[in-house]
Amino acid sequence: LFPYTTLFRSHRSNSTTSNMAEFKLRPNHKDYALSELKELKGNVVYIVSHDKAAGMPLRVHPKNHSEVYAGGGLGKWTQWKCKKMGRKVMWNGQKEPVMGFKSMACGKWLAIKNGQVTTGGGGDHCEFIIANVNKAVVLRKAINPENKGVGCKPNGKMKNVNNVPWGKGPAGAPGKFFIFDADIVQANAGIFLK
């Protein structure tokens, strides 16, 4: 969708060249995060872990499309098509929008199933409440938001959804993410790849 291969450094892997941007969340990146979903210019986003150790975009594993983790660059495996599901759900005293995120690489939706963050084909398991916590957001399963949330361990692996705090928490709370409009990231690639 976007011409990232012309913007990013090329790395050698197994005698073949792959174009993969190196990205790690830094304090100056947070200024580019969306404060509200209505700021979204396009419909493709990066969902980046707030965790200080992981600090990378959520990504679908290229060889196992049901595996999601925080790691990798800014290519198609970390891009998500954002879709408003046309309804809001009461959570934590406010009406929050219900959203879905479809992988630009494999066409599967971000999902919570059987206590784990994974991918799915759509439906209830793939619908999330997006609630703002300052510039960060929390991603909670729309059908059971008090008990099911998306979060990362410091190594980038996903936490069990039953163990993800949803409160304001410390700066590196595993249940917080930043959402970046892919158009903005592309326009500012030099800042994100330093």
Side-chain angles (χ1 to χ4, degrees):
L1 184 62
F2 300 110
Y4 287 109
T5 54
T6 62
L7 299 173
F8 298 156
R9 288 172 260 154
S10 191
H11 298 278
R12 293 235 172 244
S13 172
N14 298 332
S15 301
T16 60
T17 302
S18 63
N19 293 311
M20 177 138 164
E22 291 191 9
F23 176 83
K24 179 91 169 154
L25 186 67
R26 293 182 180 87
N28 63 322
H29 296 149
K30 296 174 186 177
D31 292 337
Y32 293 90
L34 301 177
S35 294
E36 298 179 14
L37 291 175
K38 66 183 177 184
E39 291 181 41
L40 192 61
K41 291 181 182 176
N43 62 354
V44 178
V45 298
Y46 296 102
I47 305 168
V48 180
S49 169
H50 188 282
D51 183 276
K52 289 179 181 176
M56 295 184 187
L58 289 188
R59 152 187 192 98
V60 176
H61 194 289
K63 294 181 181 174
N64 177 0
H65 297 171
S66 64
E67 182 181 346
V68 176
Y69 61 99
L74 298 174
K76 67 181 181 177
W77 293 101
T78 58
Q79 294 175 358
W80 301 89
K81 185 172 184 174
C82 177
K83 181 181 179 189
K84 294 179 182 177
M85 299 304 199
R87 61 188 176 96
K88 292 186 176 187
V89 172
M90 281 299 286
W91 183 64
N92 206 22
Q94 294 195 51
K95 282 191 168 191
E96 302 290 357
V98 177
M99 305 289 296
F101 298 95
K102 188 175 184 179
S103 170
M104 293 297 290
C106 68
K108 292 192 171 193
W109 294 82
L110 185 65
I112 291 178
K113 291 191 251 181
N114 302 321
Q116 299 299 320
V117 176
T118 184
T119 58
D124 291 347
H125 296 296
C126 304
E127 294 183 346
F128 294 87
I129 294 172
I130 310 299
N132 286 87
V133 180
N134 299 320
K135 259 210 159 191
V137 298
V138 291
L139 303 166
R140 308 300 295 184
K141 188 170 182 176
I143 58 173
N144 196 357
E146 277 73 31
N147 300 324
K148 309 283 184 209
V150 178
C152 296
K153 296 177 183 177
N155 65 2
K157 292 188 178 195
M158 303 310 293
K159 290 182 68 84
N160 179 297
V161 299
N162 298 310
N163 299 325
V164 177
W166 59 268
K168 297 202 182 285
K176 292 182 187 175
F177 293 85
F178 291 101
I179 296 182
F180 294 92
D181 185 318
D183 290 339
I184 292 172
V185 172
Q186 180 186 9
N188 296 283
I191 293 167
F192 283 89
L193 300 178
K194 286 183 179 178

